[in-house]
Amino acid sequence: MEHIATLDPSKIGRANEITQVTIGAGAVPLEEFVAVSRYGAKLVLSQEYLERVTRSRALVEKFLAENRAIYGLTTGFGDNVRKVIPQEEAVQLQLNILRSHAASVGKPLSAECVRANWLMQLLSLGRGYSGIRPEMLSLIADCLNEGVVPYAPAEGSIQSLSVEANINLVLIGEGRAWYKGELLNGREALERAGLKPLMPACKEGLCLTNGINGATGIALIALYDSLVGAQTADVVAAMAYESLRGTIMGCDARLHSLKYHSEQSGSAENIRNLLADSGIMAKYKNARVQDPYILRSIPQVHGAAKRFLRDAATSLLREMASCNDNPIVWPEDGDGDGLMGGNFDGTYTSAYADTICIADANLGKFSERRMDRLTNRHFNGGYPPFLAEKPGVNNCYMIAQYTSAGLVSEIRSLCIPATGDSIPVSANWEDPIPMAWWAAMKAAQVAEKLEYLLAIELMAQARAFDLTDTSVHGTFAKATMNVHDLIRTKIPPVTEDRHFGPEIETVYQLVKHGDILKTAEKESGTLKF
């Protein structure tokens, strides 16, 4: 199916290089989704896109004129499905769903997650089976392009209904939104951006509070960050092989050929390629019988995590290409049907958001253990305690390792699956519930924590590189040394204790935006996934 994207390892970490994305008949790749959501790439709705939406809208108008019994057009919502809505109240029905459903609480959703919500709505509702007007979808695209960011409290949602309602109130000139850093009422935010609000037509309020698009959008952000994290973890692991002077035999292709997981073999190959010209690896190849688990099992653990993420990508990219609406407007022989069902269900999104958490937890716990070994004088192979210049007077990365331990603990708590939970709502009309919103929010948090873990370990690895006497131990590989040098362009060598918090944030940005990965790949080529 040509409109379903596939995972392309060569594009991981490169979303920030994309400046324009067109939604048409073909697939929207994950990196383009992130380019719009995070990096503000301009969005274009193709003529083909607008035409299929227009055809679908004409069918909804036909249904309404004929007063057909169709959920959300001529009936109430949820348990109110039994209530018939007169035609003269059709618009009020759509206004009411947006207003009444905007009941989420707490801190607002981040700008990139709001944008991911809107982009998912454009993709799902734009498939041509929802009956929303092209004008409404064009207004969403204009808001994305002009930088209008709705204020949407992010807590207390079981799917995405209440958050989506808060976001989309802005389209009708209500709610609140940021524009150029200023929080305004919805109408004023639109006017400042040169846009005009739209009253919701029949079915549009229901389309805009679909329930799963927001959670899927956030899960896609978490997936992308986790893919970048997984590939970056191989780079950091290669540095650990050198700093801890491991034996590359743990990555021997013959060994991994006997485990039938391509992701494991790929991780082992990545490390071999990154370290192909390493004098340290050549010297220590046979220096010990085998390394401790934390080194010799990196390909197995990283490979398993990548397999989880590959499975998540398969499902979430299919969700991204799907029409997740209810009812579906199905055209047929000049007429059509309103198909009432459950395409809005979030079980796919929820289950694979939970899977992302588990994948990242495995990558993260290995990073923290490598960080501990490198800063622990009893196991680090001769480096000073905590990599300090003057141990005792200086603490160096002692507490940075505490931070890693804390992050791993937080990730473990967030790995409790949301998918199996359910609380009945809407007078038991909506039961069971997949809890996709919380699953996606957890996944986004866990992915961010993984990036911080890798950033902290990278700082320690760079410090170990500085402390290594290459005349004794051999030279570093070009790929890993280039990563070291990139870090040193952002933070100076450690000569004494200083405020390390801002430096963690700096290296975290290098991880998040793919700079570490791209720097390594200049020497190794695209890493296998």
Side-chain angles (χ1 to χ4, degrees), residues 452-482:
Y452 274 114
L453 282 163
L454 294 170
I456 292 168
E457 187 188 351
L458 279 163
M459 291 170 61
Q461 296 293 352
R463 173 62 176 157
F465 275 34
D466 292 340
L467 292 168
T468 298
D469 186 342
T470 55
S471 67
V472 174
H473 298 292
T475 56
F476 291 100
K478 288 181 181 178
T480 56
M481 197 64 197
N482 286 347

Side-chain angles (χ1 to χ4, degrees), residues 362-426:
N362 280 278
L363 294 168
K365 73 183 183 184
F366 256 52
S367 178
E368 185 277 329
R369 286 293 82 199
R370 292 192 300 262
M371 176 67 180
D372 177 74
R373 181 166 288 271
L374 195 54
T375 55
N376 188 331
R377 65 184 175 86
H378 299 290
F379 300 107
N380 66 12
Y383 294 110
F386 311 111
L387 305 178
E389 189 74 14
K390 295 179 180 179
V393 175
N394 296 146
N395 300 293
C396 198
Y397 291 141
M398 177 195 292
I399 304 303
Q401 190 274 322
Y402 283 35
T403 304
S404 293
L407 290 168
V408 167
S409 181
E410 291 166 10
I411 288 174
R412 286 172 183 159
S413 297
L414 291 168
C415 279
I416 299 171
T419 312
D421 193 9
S422 180
I423 298 176
V425 294
S426 193

Side-chain angles (χ1 to χ4, degrees), residues 142-458:
D142 289 341
C143 286
L144 286 168
N145 287 336
E146 296 301 323
V148 176
V149 180
Y151 181 101
E155 299 172 35
S157 186
I158 55 174
Q159 291 234 97
S160 313
L161 292 173
S162 54
V163 183
E164 288 176 350
N166 271 294
I167 291 171
N168 289 310
L169 276 175
V170 173
L171 301 176
I172 64 173
E174 299 183 14
R176 292 186 290 169
W178 282 281
Y179 182 68
K180 294 187 175 179
E182 189 175 355
L183 185 59
L184 308 164
N185 69 60
R187 181 174 294 275
E188 186 174 0
L190 291 177
E191 290 175 351
R192 294 264 192 104
L195 304 173
K196 294 182 179 180
L198 286 174
M199 286 290 287
C202 173
K203 194 180 183 293
E204 288 187 331
L206 180 59
C207 288
L208 295 170
T209 52
N210 157 274
I212 190 53
N213 288 320
T216 301
I218 293 170
L220 288 164
I221 294 290
L223 172 64
Y224 179 83
D225 284 345
S226 300
L227 294 172
V228 174
Q231 296 296 70
T232 303
D234 279 359
V235 176
V236 185
M239 298 177 76
Y241 263 89
E242 290 185 301
S243 63
L244 295 170
R245 296 182 279 280
T247 168
I248 197 64
M249 294 303 292
C251 295
D252 192 294
R254 296 169 295 178
L255 173 69
H256 297 284
S257 71
L258 298 177
K259 289 277 279 189
Y260 301 110
H261 301 288
S262 61
E263 297 82 9
Q264 174 181 320
S265 298
S267 280
E269 184 177 345
N270 289 343
I271 294 170
R272 292 198 308 271
N273 288 341
L274 288 162
L275 300 178
D277 59 346
S278 170
I280 296 174
M281 287 296 94
K283 178 168 183 171
Y284 288 94
K285 182 177 181 179
N286 298 305
R288 58 169 71 111
V289 174
Q290 69 174 19
D291 288 323
Y293 192 98
I294 196 61
L295 283 181
R296 63 184 155 96
S297 294
I298 285 171
Q300 288 83 354
V301 174
H302 284 200
K306 289 184 182 185
R307 179 64 203 209
F308 301 160
L309 293 175
R310 184 182 292 278
D311 289 345
T314 297
S315 185
L316 291 173
L317 291 174
R318 286 175 176 269
E319 279 290 286
M320 184 170 71
S322 298
C323 181
N324 304 308
D325 208 3
N326 179 49
I328 295 296
V329 179
W330 187 266
E332 194 164 15
D333 299 329
D335 192 10
D337 287 312
L339 304 177
M340 277 67 80
N343 272 8
F344 58 86
D345 179 76
T347 304
Y348 292 107
T349 294
S350 180
Y352 283 102
D354 282 339
T355 301
I356 288 170
C357 291
I358 295 169
D360 290 357
N362 280 278
L363 294 168
K365 73 183 183 184
F366 256 52
S367 178
E368 185 277 329
R369 286 293 82 199
R370 292 192 300 262
M371 176 67 180
D372 177 74
R373 181 166 288 271
L374 195 54
T375 55
N376 188 331
R377 65 184 175 86
H378 299 290
F379 300 107
N380 66 12
Y383 294 110
F386 311 111
L387 305 178
E389 189 74 14
K390 295 179 180 179
V393 175
N394 296 146
N395 300 293
C396 198
Y397 291 141
M398 177 195 292
I399 304 303
Q401 190 274 322
Y402 283 35
T403 304
S404 293
L407 290 168
V408 167
S409 181
E410 291 166 10
I411 288 174
R412 286 172 183 159
S413 297
L414 291 168
C415 279
I416 299 171
T419 312
D421 193 9
S422 180
I423 298 176
V425 294
S426 193
N428 269 40
W429 190 257
E430 308 291 354
D431 178 42
I433 298 296
M435 311 305 286
W437 180 256
W438 177 231
M441 292 291 284
K442 287 195 305 99
Q445 292 178 45
V446 169
E448 181 178 72
K449 292 176 192 296
L450 172 61
E451 292 167 331
Y452 274 114
L453 282 163
L454 294 170
I456 292 168
E457 187 188 351
L458 279 163

